Amino acid sequence: MHGSAADSLIQAKAFQRALLELLPLVEFRERELAAAYGISLTQCLALRLWAEERALSVNDLAARLYLDKSTASRVASGLETKGYLVRTRDRQDGRVVRLEPTPAGHRLRGRIEDDMALVHAELLSDFDPEVRSALTRMILRVVGSFSARVRASRGTCRVVG
């Protein structure tokens, strides 16, 4: 390898190490907060998606959270049992079942997001506002780069590049 390719590989490995240190910590913090409200982290993420999209099918949920259909179905069923989602028929295609957040689901999602925002504000308080903004932009670019290499549809996910 010549210099720039070797440097690029070294940087990629450092990035990988940083992600592998960050992701379990983020998941732990988010899991602990979601559990305080009696739901799982995946259920918490699902509620956020349902609140943003208004109504999603189980297949839509699976694709958006990179889950298999059976896991997405269990997530939805758990939230429905707790009264946070309700099943409705699609207006254009009565065969399609959509799940929508109930008022209780919206309230719970709002409380969890507010609490998460307070935690993140505290974690980022040592950084200048410009750095916080730049960090957010960079993370969103990384998310875009990662998601461009994954195809998720109809309850299955696969890497494409």
Side-chain angles (χ1 to χ4, degrees), residues 63-150:
R64 295 286 302 279
L65 291 182
Y66 306 103
L67 302 171
D68 61 58
K69 185 178 176 184
S70 64
T71 300
S73 182
R74 285 191 303 276
V75 168
S77 292
L79 288 169
E80 185 179 22
T81 298
K82 293 174 182 182
Y84 298 129
L85 292 178
V86 63
R87 291 179 191 266
T88 61
R89 291 279 172 196
D90 187 271
R91 289 191 173 108
Q92 281 81 31
D93 185 348
R95 298 169 296 172
V96 176
V97 174
R98 301 261 180 224
L99 292 131
E100 297 181 24
T102 63
H106 279 293
R107 284 190 303 274
L108 177 65
R109 180 205 47 87
R111 286 193 316 266
I112 292 171
E113 284 190 0
D114 288 347
D115 286 351
M116 285 180 176
L118 290 172
V119 168
H120 294 144
E122 181 184 330
L123 290 171
L124 294 171
S125 66
D126 289 341
F127 296 94
D128 291 331
E130 303 82 34
V131 173
R132 291 192 299 259
S133 293
L135 182 59
T136 300
R137 286 192 307 276
M138 293 305 297
I139 290 172
L140 289 172
R141 283 187 65 188
V142 169
V143 168
S145 181
F146 278 34
S147 65
R149 291 162 175 79
V150 175

Side-chain angles (χ1 to χ4, degrees), residues 62-68 150-159:
R64 295 286 302 279
L65 291 182
Y66 306 103
L67 302 171
D68 61 58
V150 175
R151 292 292 174 261
S153 66
R154 311 195 91 200
T156 61
C157 301
R158 63 186 171 86
V159 175

